[in-house]
Every structure is written in C-alpha cells, then in structure tokens.
Amino acid sequence: MSSVTRRMDASPASVTATGGATQKQPVARRASGPRATGTVNGAQAPMARSTPDSAIDEYAGDPNFMTSLARGLQVIQSFTPQTPQMTISQLSVKTGISRAAVRRCLYTLSKLGFAGIEEGSRYALRPHMLALSNSYSTTNSLTTAAQPVLERMSAALHESFSVATLDGDEIVYIARSNVSRVMSDDLQIGSRLPAYCTSMGRVLLAYLPAEQLEQYMARLVLTHYTARTVSSVEKLRLALRNVRRHGYAIVDQEYEVGLRSLAVPVYSANDRVMATINLSGSAPRMSLYDMHSRFLPHLRNAATELGAFLH
C-alpha cells in the first residue's frame, strides 16, 4: 500500500454515509430472492452462482498450484457457526467440489486430527484446528496487540470494536471485542465481509495504490444487500474520496438494516495504511453525530496506539 498523508481535520458537518457497517455473517453472504441482484456497468443482472471450487479453476494449468490442498482448505472454511456439522453431500453442494474429492479431504483431515465424525455421517472440525489459527495470531504483532486494546475500549464505552485487514476483495477480522446488544454478534476473528459496503473495507480500499484500486473496481460486482447499499462504481469512488479527505468512514445500513459502523485507518511506522479499526452499533441507538463527536477520538487514539506495532 502506498504512503498517504493523514487527514485529521474532519468536523461534525462532514459526517456522511461514506463508510461501511460491519455486518452479520462470518462469510459475506449472498442475498436471496429479489435481493440476489448485482450491478455490472450500471445494469441490473442476476447473480450467477459461484462456488469455492469454481474460484480454484483460474489456476488450472499452473504446475505449482496444489489443487488438492486448495480443496482441503475450502472444505475447512465451509464449517461455520451456522453449519458446524455437515455431511459429505452437504459439503459437496456448498463448495462445488465432487463428493469423492470431499470424502478424500475429510479422510485426510480426520487422520491428521483436524476433523472427525460427530453424529452419524456428519463431520465437524476438531480442536486441533486451533493450532492453525494460533500460528497466525501469535506471530502477528498487530493481532496480539489489538485484542486487549479493543477489550479495554469495550469495557469503557460498552460498544463493539474490531480490527481488520484486506484479503483479496474482502476484509478479514483479526481482532474483535463484542457486546451482546450489537446486532451482528456472530462476527468473530476470521469472519469475512465484502469491502465495498463496510466501513473497514472502505478505509482499506481508499488507501490502496491506484493500480490495485482500479483492478478491484474492474472486477467488482455490486450486490444490493439493503436499499442503502452503494449502487454504482461512481458512487463508491466518491465515497472513497471522502474517506481520504476526512480520514474516516461511516456506513449507514448498507450491509445490514439497522446497523451502522465507523472506521479509521491504522498507519504503520512508514505512514502506510496496513489495517483499520472500527466501531459498530445499532442505528436507532447510535446517531451519526455521536459516532463523530463521541467515538471518533477514541478510535483515532486506539489506531495510533496499534500503529506502533506495525513496521
């Protein structure tokens, strides 16, 4: 990510819906029924069904790409709080991977202690999976530092806070503190959400190098999660310019009705935006003015504190 100049001169009058609300599903959900539409070059189009396995197809012919490993990782990622136990058939449908390949993945994972049969023919992940996440969290200085900072803010302000980074076209949560009254209480470390309609995603997109941002815009399909979701690339560009101008992002119910969030960038020592920290809350309870006047200073102080751990 490129170097940026910090802008900390925002005023209450500049509060607009320029960021993204962190939202409900651990994995960016696809809307169903009449909401399952996207915008491509300004036109409405039905969302084509995409599976994790279809994303692997782009690497076909690459002699260094291990398709079997990729499919095993897709099987692992298919287990969620909503679907903690699944059969081979269910995993095959969810991933787009053949039943035979899913069976081999589960057999291997079971032999290594990462998965096992729970009830009848249903599989579930085993505690040994924690070794994989622990390897990341214990070797990432920002993750290690962020959790106590977020928990301290939650204890003082009684709100939910998160830290995320950009991974492909999505944000991924690397630290989170939660209070039960927040609507999206199923978000957790490792949860992924679309970047374009979340506050943390817009912060991270706003500070991308120009070439990377243009590549993202070229492949972006806008899914309309709510009536407020940004409806065109041009409007998204304007929102990202506002993020850079004011130094923060607010999204008002663009990914989930009733949920707002505020995010600010976390700068590294060389003034590059490497992560983002945000606050999420119920729209009826938390006004846009309160977000700016009460919570924005706390977020910026926390971002400065976390930036000391980035090199």
PDB file of all heavy atoms in Angstrom, residues 228-265:
ATOM      1  N   ARG A 228     -29.997   0.650   0.921  1.00  0.00           N
ATOM      2  CA  ARG A 228     -28.997   1.710   1.077  1.00  0.00           C
ATOM      3  C   ARG A 228     -27.636   1.344   0.486  1.00  0.00           C
ATOM      4  O   ARG A 228     -26.748   2.188   0.438  1.00  0.00           O
ATOM      5  CB  ARG A 228     -28.811   2.033   2.561  1.00  0.00           C
ATOM      6  CG  ARG A 228     -30.021   2.677   3.227  1.00  0.00           C
ATOM      7  CD  ARG A 228     -29.798   2.795   4.723  1.00  0.00           C
ATOM      8  NE  ARG A 228     -30.886   3.471   5.400  1.00  0.00           N
ATOM      9  CZ  ARG A 228     -30.843   4.729   5.822  1.00  0.00           C
ATOM     10  NH1 ARG A 228     -29.761   5.448   5.631  1.00  0.00           N
ATOM     11  NH2 ARG A 228     -31.867   5.277   6.446  1.00  0.00           N
ATOM     12  N   THR A 229     -27.456   0.112   0.061  1.00  0.00           N
ATOM     13  CA  THR A 229     -26.151  -0.313  -0.459  1.00  0.00           C
ATOM     14  C   THR A 229     -25.743   0.540  -1.643  1.00  0.00           C
ATOM     15  O   THR A 229     -26.563   0.851  -2.510  1.00  0.00           O
ATOM     16  CB  THR A 229     -26.193  -1.785  -0.891  1.00  0.00           C
ATOM     17  OG1 THR A 229     -26.668  -2.590   0.186  1.00  0.00           O
ATOM     18  CG2 THR A 229     -24.814  -2.270  -1.301  1.00  0.00           C
ATOM     19  N   VAL A 230     -24.474   0.929  -1.676  1.00  0.00           N
ATOM     20  CA  VAL A 230     -23.972   1.741  -2.787  1.00  0.00           C
ATOM     21  C   VAL A 230     -24.337   1.069  -4.108  1.00  0.00           C
ATOM     22  O   VAL A 230     -24.186  -0.142  -4.277  1.00  0.00           O
ATOM     23  CB  VAL A 230     -22.442   1.924  -2.657  1.00  0.00           C
ATOM     24  CG1 VAL A 230     -21.701   0.609  -2.771  1.00  0.00           C
ATOM     25  CG2 VAL A 230     -21.938   2.931  -3.679  1.00  0.00           C
ATOM     26  N   SER A 231     -24.849   1.854  -5.053  1.00  0.00           N
ATOM     27  CA  SER A 231     -25.465   1.285  -6.245  1.00  0.00           C
ATOM     28  C   SER A 231     -24.642   1.405  -7.512  1.00  0.00           C
ATOM     29  O   SER A 231     -25.032   0.883  -8.554  1.00  0.00           O
ATOM     30  CB  SER A 231     -26.837   1.945  -6.478  1.00  0.00           C
ATOM     31  OG  SER A 231     -26.693   3.355  -6.622  1.00  0.00           O
ATOM     32  N   SER A 232     -23.506   2.079  -7.451  1.00  0.00           N
ATOM     33  CA  SER A 232     -22.691   2.218  -8.661  1.00  0.00           C
ATOM     34  C   SER A 232     -21.226   2.414  -8.287  1.00  0.00           C
ATOM     35  O   SER A 232     -20.908   2.859  -7.175  1.00  0.00           O
ATOM     36  CB  SER A 232     -23.167   3.404  -9.509  1.00  0.00           C
ATOM     37  OG  SER A 232     -22.891   4.629  -8.847  1.00  0.00           O
ATOM     38  N   VAL A 233     -20.367   2.099  -9.235  1.00  0.00           N
ATOM     39  CA  VAL A 233     -18.930   2.289  -9.029  1.00  0.00           C
ATOM     40  C   VAL A 233     -18.609   3.761  -8.846  1.00  0.00           C
ATOM     41  O   VAL A 233     -17.740   4.123  -8.048  1.00  0.00           O
ATOM     42  CB  VAL A 233     -18.134   1.692 -10.215  1.00  0.00           C
ATOM     43  CG1 VAL A 233     -16.668   2.097 -10.145  1.00  0.00           C
ATOM     44  CG2 VAL A 233     -18.263   0.172 -10.220  1.00  0.00           C
ATOM     45  N   GLU A 234     -19.336   4.619  -9.556  1.00  0.00           N
ATOM     46  CA  GLU A 234     -19.088   6.050  -9.436  1.00  0.00           C
ATOM     47  C   GLU A 234     -19.381   6.542  -8.018  1.00  0.00           C
ATOM     48  O   GLU A 234     -18.630   7.346  -7.450  1.00  0.00           O
ATOM     49  CB  GLU A 234     -19.964   6.821 -10.437  1.00  0.00           C
ATOM     50  CG  GLU A 234     -19.553   6.648 -11.895  1.00  0.00           C
ATOM     51  CD  GLU A 234     -19.871   5.268 -12.449  1.00  0.00           C
ATOM     52  OE1 GLU A 234     -20.765   4.588 -11.874  1.00  0.00           O
ATOM     53  OE2 GLU A 234     -19.227   4.848 -13.419  1.00  0.00           O
ATOM     54  N   LYS A 235     -20.467   6.059  -7.425  1.00  0.00           N
ATOM     55  CA  LYS A 235     -20.792   6.449  -6.045  1.00  0.00           C
ATOM     56  C   LYS A 235     -19.779   5.881  -5.062  1.00  0.00           C
ATOM     57  O   LYS A 235     -19.450   6.525  -4.058  1.00  0.00           O
ATOM     58  CB  LYS A 235     -22.201   5.980  -5.699  1.00  0.00           C
ATOM     59  CG  LYS A 235     -23.289   6.740  -6.449  1.00  0.00           C
ATOM     60  CD  LYS A 235     -24.676   6.258  -6.040  1.00  0.00           C
ATOM     61  CE  LYS A 235     -25.751   7.054  -6.770  1.00  0.00           C
ATOM     62  NZ  LYS A 235     -27.121   6.604  -6.404  1.00  0.00           N
ATOM     63  N   LEU A 236     -19.288   4.699  -5.347  1.00  0.00           N
ATOM     64  CA  LEU A 236     -18.266   4.114  -4.484  1.00  0.00           C
ATOM     65  C   LEU A 236     -16.981   4.930  -4.557  1.00  0.00           C
ATOM     66  O   LEU A 236     -16.336   5.187  -3.536  1.00  0.00           O
ATOM     67  CB  LEU A 236     -17.996   2.667  -4.882  1.00  0.00           C
ATOM     68  CG  LEU A 236     -16.892   1.947  -4.105  1.00  0.00           C
ATOM     69  CD1 LEU A 236     -17.198   1.919  -2.617  1.00  0.00           C
ATOM     70  CD2 LEU A 236     -16.701   0.527  -4.644  1.00  0.00           C
ATOM     71  N   ARG A 237     -16.596   5.353  -5.746  1.00  0.00           N
ATOM     72  CA  ARG A 237     -15.399   6.196  -5.891  1.00  0.00           C
ATOM     73  C   ARG A 237     -15.541   7.483  -5.078  1.00  0.00           C
ATOM     74  O   ARG A 237     -14.591   7.941  -4.433  1.00  0.00           O
ATOM     75  CB  ARG A 237     -15.158   6.523  -7.359  1.00  0.00           C
ATOM     76  CG  ARG A 237     -14.671   5.348  -8.208  1.00  0.00           C
ATOM     77  CD  ARG A 237     -14.347   5.830  -9.617  1.00  0.00           C
ATOM     78  NE  ARG A 237     -14.031   4.734 -10.511  1.00  0.00           N
ATOM     79  CZ  ARG A 237     -12.835   4.155 -10.600  1.00  0.00           C
ATOM     80  NH1 ARG A 237     -11.847   4.601  -9.826  1.00  0.00           N
ATOM     81  NH2 ARG A 237     -12.625   3.177 -11.451  1.00  0.00           N
ATOM     82  N   LEU A 238     -16.727   8.082  -5.128  1.00  0.00           N
ATOM     83  CA  LEU A 238     -16.962   9.303  -4.357  1.00  0.00           C
ATOM     84  C   LEU A 238     -16.833   9.025  -2.863  1.00  0.00           C
ATOM     85  O   LEU A 238     -16.224   9.812  -2.123  1.00  0.00           O
ATOM     86  CB  LEU A 238     -18.354   9.853  -4.670  1.00  0.00           C
ATOM     87  CG  LEU A 238     -18.804  11.060  -3.841  1.00  0.00           C
ATOM     88  CD1 LEU A 238     -17.858  12.237  -4.051  1.00  0.00           C
ATOM     89  CD2 LEU A 238     -20.236  11.445  -4.204  1.00  0.00           C
ATOM     90  N   ALA A 239     -17.385   7.897  -2.420  1.00  0.00           N
ATOM     91  CA  ALA A 239     -17.287   7.538  -1.007  1.00  0.00           C
ATOM     92  C   ALA A 239     -15.836   7.357  -0.586  1.00  0.00           C
ATOM     93  O   ALA A 239     -15.430   7.792   0.497  1.00  0.00           O
ATOM     94  CB  ALA A 239     -18.090   6.265  -0.730  1.00  0.00           C
ATOM     95  N   LEU A 240     -15.034   6.736  -1.437  1.00  0.00           N
ATOM     96  CA  LEU A 240     -13.624   6.510  -1.108  1.00  0.00           C
ATOM     97  C   LEU A 240     -12.847   7.823  -1.077  1.00  0.00           C
ATOM     98  O   LEU A 240     -11.943   7.996  -0.250  1.00  0.00           O
ATOM     99  CB  LEU A 240     -12.998   5.544  -2.116  1.00  0.00           C
ATOM    100  CG  LEU A 240     -13.596   4.132  -2.154  1.00  0.00           C
ATOM    101  CD1 LEU A 240     -12.837   3.264  -3.144  1.00  0.00           C
ATOM    102  CD2 LEU A 240     -13.601   3.494  -0.774  1.00  0.00           C
ATOM    103  N   ARG A 241     -13.190   8.755  -1.972  1.00  0.00           N
ATOM    104  CA  ARG A 241     -12.542  10.073  -1.924  1.00  0.00           C
ATOM    105  C   ARG A 241     -12.869  10.778  -0.611  1.00  0.00           C
ATOM    106  O   ARG A 241     -12.011  11.453  -0.020  1.00  0.00           O
ATOM    107  CB  ARG A 241     -12.972  10.922  -3.123  1.00  0.00           C
ATOM    108  CG  ARG A 241     -12.352  10.492  -4.444  1.00  0.00           C
ATOM    109  CD  ARG A 241     -12.488  11.573  -5.508  1.00  0.00           C
ATOM    110  NE  ARG A 241     -13.874  11.802  -5.888  1.00  0.00           N
ATOM    111  CZ  ARG A 241     -14.510  11.157  -6.861  1.00  0.00           C
ATOM    112  NH1 ARG A 241     -13.859  10.214  -7.551  1.00  0.00           N
ATOM    113  NH2 ARG A 241     -15.761  11.435  -7.159  1.00  0.00           N
ATOM    114  N   ASN A 242     -14.106  10.637  -0.143  1.00  0.00           N
ATOM    115  CA  ASN A 242     -14.493  11.248   1.136  1.00  0.00           C
ATOM    116  C   ASN A 242     -13.741  10.622   2.305  1.00  0.00           C
ATOM    117  O   ASN A 242     -13.390  11.308   3.265  1.00  0.00           O
ATOM    118  CB  ASN A 242     -16.001  11.112   1.342  1.00  0.00           C
ATOM    119  CG  ASN A 242     -16.808  12.061   0.481  1.00  0.00           C
ATOM    120  OD1 ASN A 242     -16.313  13.119   0.095  1.00  0.00           O
ATOM    121  ND2 ASN A 242     -18.039  11.683   0.158  1.00  0.00           N
ATOM    122  N   VAL A 243     -13.487   9.323   2.219  1.00  0.00           N
ATOM    123  CA  VAL A 243     -12.718   8.663   3.269  1.00  0.00           C
ATOM    124  C   VAL A 243     -11.321   9.266   3.355  1.00  0.00           C
ATOM    125  O   VAL A 243     -10.821   9.585   4.435  1.00  0.00           O
ATOM    126  CB  VAL A 243     -12.629   7.144   3.021  1.00  0.00           C
ATOM    127  CG1 VAL A 243     -11.667   6.487   4.014  1.00  0.00           C
ATOM    128  CG2 VAL A 243     -14.012   6.501   3.144  1.00  0.00           C
ATOM    129  N   ARG A 244     -10.680   9.432   2.222  1.00  0.00           N
ATOM    130  CA  ARG A 244      -9.329  10.012   2.207  1.00  0.00           C
ATOM    131  C   ARG A 244      -9.356  11.469   2.665  1.00  0.00           C
ATOM    132  O   ARG A 244      -8.425  11.939   3.327  1.00  0.00           O
ATOM    133  CB  ARG A 244      -8.715   9.901   0.809  1.00  0.00           C
ATOM    134  CG  ARG A 244      -8.383   8.483   0.382  1.00  0.00           C
ATOM    135  CD  ARG A 244      -7.721   8.467  -0.997  1.00  0.00           C
ATOM    136  NE  ARG A 244      -6.408   9.095  -0.939  1.00  0.00           N
ATOM    137  CZ  ARG A 244      -5.270   8.422  -0.773  1.00  0.00           C
ATOM    138  NH1 ARG A 244      -5.284   7.107  -0.626  1.00  0.00           N
ATOM    139  NH2 ARG A 244      -4.125   9.045  -0.752  1.00  0.00           N
ATOM    140  N   ARG A 245     -10.412  12.171   2.313  1.00  0.00           N
ATOM    141  CA  ARG A 245     -10.491  13.592   2.671  1.00  0.00           C
ATOM    142  C   ARG A 245     -10.670  13.771   4.181  1.00  0.00           C
ATOM    143  O   ARG A 245     -10.040  14.643   4.785  1.00  0.00           O
ATOM    144  CB  ARG A 245     -11.653  14.245   1.926  1.00  0.00           C
ATOM    145  CG  ARG A 245     -11.812  15.744   2.218  1.00  0.00           C
ATOM    146  CD  ARG A 245     -12.953  16.343   1.414  1.00  0.00           C
ATOM    147  NE  ARG A 245     -12.758  16.164  -0.012  1.00  0.00           N
ATOM    148  CZ  ARG A 245     -13.543  15.406  -0.787  1.00  0.00           C
ATOM    149  NH1 ARG A 245     -14.583  14.751  -0.270  1.00  0.00           N
ATOM    150  NH2 ARG A 245     -13.304  15.297  -2.078  1.00  0.00           N
ATOM    151  N   HIS A 246     -11.509  12.938   4.798  1.00  0.00           N
ATOM    152  CA  HIS A 246     -11.841  13.126   6.207  1.00  0.00           C
ATOM    153  C   HIS A 246     -11.051  12.227   7.149  1.00  0.00           C
ATOM    154  O   HIS A 246     -10.991  12.493   8.353  1.00  0.00           O
ATOM    155  CB  HIS A 246     -13.336  12.897   6.428  1.00  0.00           C
ATOM    156  CG  HIS A 246     -14.213  13.787   5.599  1.00  0.00           C
ATOM    157  ND1 HIS A 246     -14.097  15.155   5.596  1.00  0.00           N
ATOM    158  CD2 HIS A 246     -15.222  13.485   4.724  1.00  0.00           C
ATOM    159  CE1 HIS A 246     -15.000  15.671   4.764  1.00  0.00           C
ATOM    160  NE2 HIS A 246     -15.682  14.681   4.225  1.00  0.00           N
ATOM    161  N   GLY A 247     -10.479  11.150   6.629  1.00  0.00           N
ATOM    162  CA  GLY A 247      -9.699  10.263   7.482  1.00  0.00           C
ATOM    163  C   GLY A 247     -10.513   9.251   8.258  1.00  0.00           C
ATOM    164  O   GLY A 247     -10.014   8.653   9.209  1.00  0.00           O
ATOM    165  N   TYR A 248     -11.754   9.029   7.854  1.00  0.00           N
ATOM    166  CA  TYR A 248     -12.583   8.003   8.488  1.00  0.00           C
ATOM    167  C   TYR A 248     -13.705   7.618   7.525  1.00  0.00           C
ATOM    168  O   TYR A 248     -13.941   8.289   6.518  1.00  0.00           O
ATOM    169  CB  TYR A 248     -13.180   8.501   9.811  1.00  0.00           C
ATOM    170  CG  TYR A 248     -14.176   9.623   9.669  1.00  0.00           C
ATOM    171  CD1 TYR A 248     -15.532   9.376   9.472  1.00  0.00           C
ATOM    172  CD2 TYR A 248     -13.755  10.959   9.727  1.00  0.00           C
ATOM    173  CE1 TYR A 248     -16.442  10.413   9.330  1.00  0.00           C
ATOM    174  CE2 TYR A 248     -14.659  11.997   9.602  1.00  0.00           C
ATOM    175  CZ  TYR A 248     -16.004  11.721   9.398  1.00  0.00           C
ATOM    176  OH  TYR A 248     -16.899  12.749   9.258  1.00  0.00           O
ATOM    177  N   ALA A 249     -14.395   6.515   7.843  1.00  0.00           N
ATOM    178  CA  ALA A 249     -15.511   6.067   7.023  1.00  0.00           C
ATOM    179  C   ALA A 249     -16.690   5.725   7.922  1.00  0.00           C
ATOM    180  O   ALA A 249     -16.523   5.121   8.978  1.00  0.00           O
ATOM    181  CB  ALA A 249     -15.122   4.832   6.206  1.00  0.00           C
ATOM    182  N   ILE A 250     -17.880   6.131   7.495  1.00  0.00           N
ATOM    183  CA  ILE A 250     -19.117   5.730   8.156  1.00  0.00           C
ATOM    184  C   ILE A 250     -20.016   5.085   7.105  1.00  0.00           C
ATOM    185  O   ILE A 250     -20.186   5.623   6.022  1.00  0.00           O
ATOM    186  CB  ILE A 250     -19.854   6.925   8.790  1.00  0.00           C
ATOM    187  CG1 ILE A 250     -19.087   7.457   9.996  1.00  0.00           C
ATOM    188  CG2 ILE A 250     -21.268   6.512   9.221  1.00  0.00           C
ATOM    189  CD1 ILE A 250     -19.742   8.648  10.666  1.00  0.00           C
ATOM    190  N   VAL A 251     -20.565   3.937   7.432  1.00  0.00           N
ATOM    191  CA  VAL A 251     -21.572   3.323   6.574  1.00  0.00           C
ATOM    192  C   VAL A 251     -22.853   3.164   7.375  1.00  0.00           C
ATOM    193  O   VAL A 251     -22.832   2.680   8.506  1.00  0.00           O
ATOM    194  CB  VAL A 251     -21.113   1.964   6.022  1.00  0.00           C
ATOM    195  CG1 VAL A 251     -22.290   1.126   5.571  1.00  0.00           C
ATOM    196  CG2 VAL A 251     -20.181   2.171   4.856  1.00  0.00           C
ATOM    197  N   ASP A 252     -23.931   3.587   6.783  1.00  0.00           N
ATOM    198  CA  ASP A 252     -25.221   3.594   7.459  1.00  0.00           C
ATOM    199  C   ASP A 252     -26.143   2.555   6.823  1.00  0.00           C
ATOM    200  O   ASP A 252     -26.773   2.818   5.799  1.00  0.00           O
ATOM    201  CB  ASP A 252     -25.827   4.991   7.363  1.00  0.00           C
ATOM    202  CG  ASP A 252     -27.100   5.136   8.180  1.00  0.00           C
ATOM    203  OD1 ASP A 252     -27.451   4.190   8.920  1.00  0.00           O
ATOM    204  OD2 ASP A 252     -27.745   6.196   8.078  1.00  0.00           O
ATOM    205  N   GLN A 253     -26.171   1.339   7.376  1.00  0.00           N
ATOM    206  CA  GLN A 253     -27.118   0.286   6.995  1.00  0.00           C
ATOM    207  C   GLN A 253     -26.993  -0.144   5.536  1.00  0.00           C
ATOM    208  O   GLN A 253     -27.990  -0.451   4.891  1.00  0.00           O
ATOM    209  CB  GLN A 253     -28.551   0.765   7.283  1.00  0.00           C
ATOM    210  CG  GLN A 253     -28.759   1.248   8.706  1.00  0.00           C
ATOM    211  CD  GLN A 253     -30.146   1.767   8.954  1.00  0.00           C
ATOM    212  OE1 GLN A 253     -31.096   0.997   9.046  1.00  0.00           O
ATOM    213  NE2 GLN A 253     -30.278   3.099   9.045  1.00  0.00           N
ATOM    214  N   GLU A 254     -25.778  -0.208   5.038  1.00  0.00           N
ATOM    215  CA  GLU A 254     -25.583  -0.647   3.656  1.00  0.00           C
ATOM    216  C   GLU A 254     -25.452  -2.155   3.516  1.00  0.00           C
ATOM    217  O   GLU A 254     -25.729  -2.703   2.455  1.00  0.00           O
ATOM    218  CB  GLU A 254     -24.350   0.030   3.045  1.00  0.00           C
ATOM    219  CG  GLU A 254     -24.529   1.500   2.789  1.00  0.00           C
ATOM    220  CD  GLU A 254     -23.469   2.051   1.860  1.00  0.00           C
ATOM    221  OE1 GLU A 254     -23.118   1.365   0.885  1.00  0.00           O
ATOM    222  OE2 GLU A 254     -22.966   3.157   2.125  1.00  0.00           O
ATOM    223  N   TYR A 255     -25.010  -2.824   4.575  1.00  0.00           N
ATOM    224  CA  TYR A 255     -24.869  -4.277   4.504  1.00  0.00           C
ATOM    225  C   TYR A 255     -25.942  -4.984   5.328  1.00  0.00           C
ATOM    226  O   TYR A 255     -26.361  -6.078   5.019  1.00  0.00           O
ATOM    227  CB  TYR A 255     -23.480  -4.705   4.989  1.00  0.00           C
ATOM    228  CG  TYR A 255     -23.217  -6.184   4.816  1.00  0.00           C
ATOM    229  CD1 TYR A 255     -22.988  -6.715   3.555  1.00  0.00           C
ATOM    230  CD2 TYR A 255     -23.205  -7.038   5.912  1.00  0.00           C
ATOM    231  CE1 TYR A 255     -22.759  -8.063   3.381  1.00  0.00           C
ATOM    232  CE2 TYR A 255     -22.975  -8.389   5.744  1.00  0.00           C
ATOM    233  CZ  TYR A 255     -22.752  -8.900   4.480  1.00  0.00           C
ATOM    234  OH  TYR A 255     -22.529 -10.243   4.318  1.00  0.00           O
ATOM    235  N   GLU A 256     -26.406  -4.351   6.375  1.00  0.00           N
ATOM    236  CA  GLU A 256     -27.467  -4.908   7.206  1.00  0.00           C
ATOM    237  C   GLU A 256     -28.340  -3.774   7.723  1.00  0.00           C
ATOM    238  O   GLU A 256     -27.834  -2.777   8.245  1.00  0.00           O
ATOM    239  CB  GLU A 256     -26.879  -5.682   8.389  1.00  0.00           C
ATOM    240  CG  GLU A 256     -27.924  -6.275   9.302  1.00  0.00           C
ATOM    241  CD  GLU A 256     -27.316  -7.007  10.477  1.00  0.00           C
ATOM    242  OE1 GLU A 256     -26.098  -7.254  10.451  1.00  0.00           O
ATOM    243  OE2 GLU A 256     -28.059  -7.323  11.420  1.00  0.00           O
ATOM    244  N   VAL A 257     -29.635  -3.920   7.547  1.00  0.00           N
ATOM    245  CA  VAL A 257     -30.568  -2.898   8.021  1.00  0.00           C
ATOM    246  C   VAL A 257     -30.449  -2.776   9.539  1.00  0.00           C
ATOM    247  O   VAL A 257     -30.428  -3.764  10.264  1.00  0.00           O
ATOM    248  CB  VAL A 257     -32.015  -3.264   7.625  1.00  0.00           C
ATOM    249  CG1 VAL A 257     -32.998  -2.274   8.246  1.00  0.00           C
ATOM    250  CG2 VAL A 257     -32.169  -3.293   6.109  1.00  0.00           C
ATOM    251  N   GLY A 258     -30.341  -1.534  10.005  1.00  0.00           N
ATOM    252  CA  GLY A 258     -30.303  -1.285  11.434  1.00  0.00           C
ATOM    253  C   GLY A 258     -28.910  -1.234  12.037  1.00  0.00           C
ATOM    254  O   GLY A 258     -28.770  -1.045  13.243  1.00  0.00           O
ATOM    255  N   LEU A 259     -27.871  -1.374  11.215  1.00  0.00           N
ATOM    256  CA  LEU A 259     -26.515  -1.393  11.759  1.00  0.00           C
ATOM    257  C   LEU A 259     -25.642  -0.330  11.097  1.00  0.00           C
ATOM    258  O   LEU A 259     -25.605  -0.206   9.877  1.00  0.00           O
ATOM    259  CB  LEU A 259     -25.879  -2.763  11.550  1.00  0.00           C
ATOM    260  CG  LEU A 259     -24.592  -3.025  12.347  1.00  0.00           C
ATOM    261  CD1 LEU A 259     -24.882  -3.054  13.834  1.00  0.00           C
ATOM    262  CD2 LEU A 259     -23.976  -4.345  11.915  1.00  0.00           C
ATOM    263  N   ARG A 260     -24.948   0.443  11.929  1.00  0.00           N
ATOM    264  CA  ARG A 260     -24.012   1.457  11.463  1.00  0.00           C
ATOM    265  C   ARG A 260     -22.622   1.112  11.963  1.00  0.00           C
ATOM    266  O   ARG A 260     -22.472   0.471  12.995  1.00  0.00           O
ATOM    267  CB  ARG A 260     -24.371   2.838  12.005  1.00  0.00           C
ATOM    268  CG  ARG A 260     -25.580   3.477  11.385  1.00  0.00           C
ATOM    269  CD  ARG A 260     -25.784   4.878  11.925  1.00  0.00           C
ATOM    270  NE  ARG A 260     -26.932   5.503  11.292  1.00  0.00           N
ATOM    271  CZ  ARG A 260     -27.907   6.108  11.935  1.00  0.00           C
ATOM    272  NH1 ARG A 260     -27.873   6.198  13.261  1.00  0.00           N
ATOM    273  NH2 ARG A 260     -28.917   6.645  11.283  1.00  0.00           N
ATOM    274  N   SER A 261     -21.613   1.605  11.243  1.00  0.00           N
ATOM    275  CA  SER A 261     -20.258   1.456  11.767  1.00  0.00           C
ATOM    276  C   SER A 261     -19.373   2.605  11.318  1.00  0.00           C
ATOM    277  O   SER A 261     -19.617   3.254  10.298  1.00  0.00           O
ATOM    278  CB  SER A 261     -19.649   0.119  11.357  1.00  0.00           C
ATOM    279  OG  SER A 261     -19.285   0.122  10.005  1.00  0.00           O
ATOM    280  N   LEU A 262     -18.353   2.830  12.116  1.00  0.00           N
ATOM    281  CA  LEU A 262     -17.369   3.891  11.902  1.00  0.00           C
ATOM    282  C   LEU A 262     -15.989   3.260  11.932  1.00  0.00           C
ATOM    283  O   LEU A 262     -15.696   2.441  12.807  1.00  0.00           O
ATOM    284  CB  LEU A 262     -17.494   4.928  13.016  1.00  0.00           C
ATOM    285  CG  LEU A 262     -16.349   5.922  13.218  1.00  0.00           C
ATOM    286  CD1 LEU A 262     -16.289   6.910  12.055  1.00  0.00           C
ATOM    287  CD2 LEU A 262     -16.529   6.654  14.546  1.00  0.00           C
ATOM    288  N   ALA A 263     -15.128   3.591  10.967  1.00  0.00           N
ATOM    289  CA  ALA A 263     -13.790   3.002  10.909  1.00  0.00           C
ATOM    290  C   ALA A 263     -12.749   4.067  10.601  1.00  0.00           C
ATOM    291  O   ALA A 263     -13.028   5.054   9.909  1.00  0.00           O
ATOM    292  CB  ALA A 263     -13.720   1.900   9.848  1.00  0.00           C
ATOM    293  N   VAL A 264     -11.542   3.852  11.119  1.00  0.00           N
ATOM    294  CA  VAL A 264     -10.410   4.745  10.846  1.00  0.00           C
ATOM    295  C   VAL A 264      -9.216   3.889  10.444  1.00  0.00           C
ATOM    296  O   VAL A 264      -9.147   2.707  10.782  1.00  0.00           O
ATOM    297  CB  VAL A 264     -10.047   5.600  12.082  1.00  0.00           C
ATOM    298  CG1 VAL A 264     -11.219   6.454  12.511  1.00  0.00           C
ATOM    299  CG2 VAL A 264      -9.567   4.722  13.228  1.00  0.00           C
ATOM    300  N   PRO A 265      -8.266   4.463   9.728  1.00  0.00           N
ATOM    301  CA  PRO A 265      -7.085   3.704   9.307  1.00  0.00           C
ATOM    302  C   PRO A 265      -6.080   3.523  10.435  1.00  0.00           C
ATOM    303  O   PRO A 265      -5.986   4.356  11.337  1.00  0.00           O
ATOM    304  CB  PRO A 265      -6.500   4.560   8.179  1.00  0.00           C
ATOM    305  CG  PRO A 265      -6.947   5.951   8.491  1.00  0.00           C
ATOM    306  CD  PRO A 265      -8.301   5.817   9.121  1.00  0.00           C
TER     307      PRO A 265
END
